[in-house]
Amino acid sequence: MTSPLLDPRFNRVFGTFPLKQEALAQALQCAIDTGYRAVDTAQMYKNEADVGEALAHCGVARDDLCIVTKVHPDNFAPERFMASVEQSLKDLRVNQVDVLLLHWPPKGEDVLPSLKLLDEAAKAGLAKHVGVSNYTSAMMRTAQQTLSVPVATNQVEFHPLLDQRKLLATSAELGIPLMAYCAAARGKVLDYPLFGDIAQRHGKTAMQVALRWILQTGVATNTMSTKPANISANFHIDDFVLSEADMRAITALNATGYRIVSDQISPWAPVWD
């Protein structure tokens, strides 16, 4: 099965963290009205029920949506895994989630047990597709070898200020698409005039150029905003193309080495590539 993130309808994902209740409902409806059809949530975000409520009334048929959620590492124990996924489906008001991810590798980085549980969830029909998040290259290989179905994605921190060439190479080698979170480095890209210079030539914003670089690199974007103008701008990045020179200039900023998610932020962060 082909990863849904390779479908142009779903390669721009609307993220929902840390939104809840009315703020989430308003932002998600704006995203749907803008054209987003892929939505990302997680057990860790504690907003799956709010996402389910919003999507139930969004005016778009279930079959036209791609819903992504992620299993909390605290639920990787065999006695908790399936029950947690079933609760996610109940909260999201669906019989099957489109993409089910393991949110983090477990502490100690032994990914096999949780991958086997993910595989059981796929076999039980709880998810159309399964994948991982915050996995290293070595873990991606283990996932591909362990799962009985293709790995739909590895959702990772990915933006122009972080060198993820090793993950990109592994992605190409294994055929596992990446999905970018912190896609604009939480606004840090705006500190670099290069994005504004390129944006001016295209009649776009600096943020759109940064996101376009990600999309043109072959990585799906995962962005969140509560502002309608930003929601629209983050989505409308498929109507212009960066030149090879622009791509090279932006890629050179990988050397900045600016990583947001470290073991100080997440206790499950692995030793990154």
Side-chain angles (χ1 to χ4, degrees), residues 162-227:
L162 179 63
D163 187 352
Q164 291 285 38
R165 284 177 295 178
K166 186 172 182 180
L167 276 184
L168 273 174
T170 304
S171 167
E173 174 194 339
L174 302 180
I176 299 175
L178 300 181
M179 185 198 305
Y181 70 76
C182 294
R186 294 186 177 169
K188 190 71 174 177
V189 295
L190 299 180
D191 291 348
Y192 295 81
L194 174 66
F195 297 98
D197 293 343
I198 296 172
Q200 193 169 23
R201 297 201 304 269
H202 289 279
K204 292 289 184 177
T205 68
M207 196 72 75
Q208 285 176 307
V209 168
L211 295 176
R212 178 66 203 183
W213 174 85
I214 294 172
L215 202 64
Q216 220 165 296
T217 302
V219 176
T221 64
N222 182 346
T223 57
M224 187 284 293
S225 179
T226 58
K227 298 178 180 178

Side-chain angles (χ1 to χ4, degrees), residues 112 115 138-148 151 174 176:
L112 269 174
L115 284 169
M139 292 172 183
M140 289 171 69
R141 290 191 174 87
T142 301
Q144 188 184 64
Q145 294 163 2
T146 303
L147 295 173
S148 60
V151 184
L174 302 180
I176 299 175

Side-chain angles (χ1 to χ4, degrees), residues 2-268:
T2 302
S3 170
L5 298 178
L6 298 176
D7 186 325
R9 295 175 299 164
F10 304 137
N11 65 1
R12 287 148 295 161
V13 183
F14 186 74
T16 61
F17 179 78
L19 303 178
K20 294 180 182 178
Q21 300 179 339
E22 187 59 27
L24 185 148
Q26 292 181 5
L28 187 48
Q29 187 61 57
C30 179
I32 293 294
D33 292 344
T34 297
Y36 284 94
R37 292 297 178 265
V39 178
D40 177 80
T41 182
Q43 295 172 356
M44 192 178 289
Y45 303 165
K46 300 185 183 302
N47 67 4
E48 288 174 308
D50 294 331
V51 170
E53 168 77 12
L55 291 180
H57 301 95
C58 74
V60 173
R62 170 69 185 92
D63 289 346
D64 293 328
L65 297 170
C66 178
I67 302 174
V68 182
T69 196
K70 302 181 281 292
V71 182
H72 196 301
D74 287 350
N75 292 323
F76 286 177
E79 65 274 14
R80 299 182 65 171
F81 193 94
M82 292 300 176
S84 79
V85 175
E86 289 168 356
Q87 184 62 51
S88 290
L89 299 187
K90 181 179 179 181
D91 289 342
L92 289 166
R93 303 190 184 190
V94 296
N95 296 321
Q96 183 184 58
V97 72
D98 296 284
V99 185
L100 180 67
L101 308 180
L102 300 176
H103 203 151
W104 289 92
K107 294 177 182 178
E109 303 191 13
D110 179 7
V111 297
L112 269 174
S114 51
L115 284 169
K116 289 177 179 177
L117 290 168
L118 183 67
D119 202 48
E120 288 181 23
K123 290 177 179 177
L126 301 180
K128 290 182 184 178
H129 305 270
V130 294
V132 296
S133 184
N134 296 299
Y135 266 36
T136 64
S137 291
M139 292 172 183
M140 289 171 69
R141 290 191 174 87
T142 301
Q144 188 184 64
Q145 294 163 2
T146 303
L147 295 173
S148 60
V149 294
V151 184
T153 190
N154 182 16
Q155 185 183 113
V156 295
E157 179 179 346
F158 193 99
H159 50 74
L161 308 183
L162 179 63
D163 187 352
Q164 291 285 38
R165 284 177 295 178
K166 186 172 182 180
L167 276 184
L168 273 174
T170 304
S171 167
E173 174 194 339
L174 302 180
I176 299 175
L178 300 181
M179 185 198 305
Y181 70 76
C182 294
R186 294 186 177 169
K188 190 71 174 177
V189 295
L190 299 180
D191 291 348
Y192 295 81
L194 174 66
F195 297 98
D197 293 343
I198 296 172
Q200 193 169 23
R201 297 201 304 269
H202 289 279
K204 292 289 184 177
T205 68
M207 196 72 75
Q208 285 176 307
V209 168
L211 295 176
R212 178 66 203 183
W213 174 85
I214 294 172
L215 202 64
Q216 220 165 296
T217 302
V219 176
T221 64
N222 182 346
T223 57
M224 187 284 293
S225 179
T226 58
K227 298 178 180 178
N230 291 345
I231 291 172
S232 177
N234 291 344
F235 181 78
H236 291 110
I237 56 172
D238 61 345
D239 57 354
F240 71 108
V241 177
L242 299 175
S243 68
E244 290 185 12
D246 288 341
M247 290 292 290
R248 284 195 301 271
I250 295 171
T251 300
L253 293 176
N254 287 177
T256 305
Y258 181 72
R259 183 181 289 279
I260 296 168
V261 179
S262 66
D263 56 5
Q264 295 180 336
I265 291 179
S266 170
W268 301 284

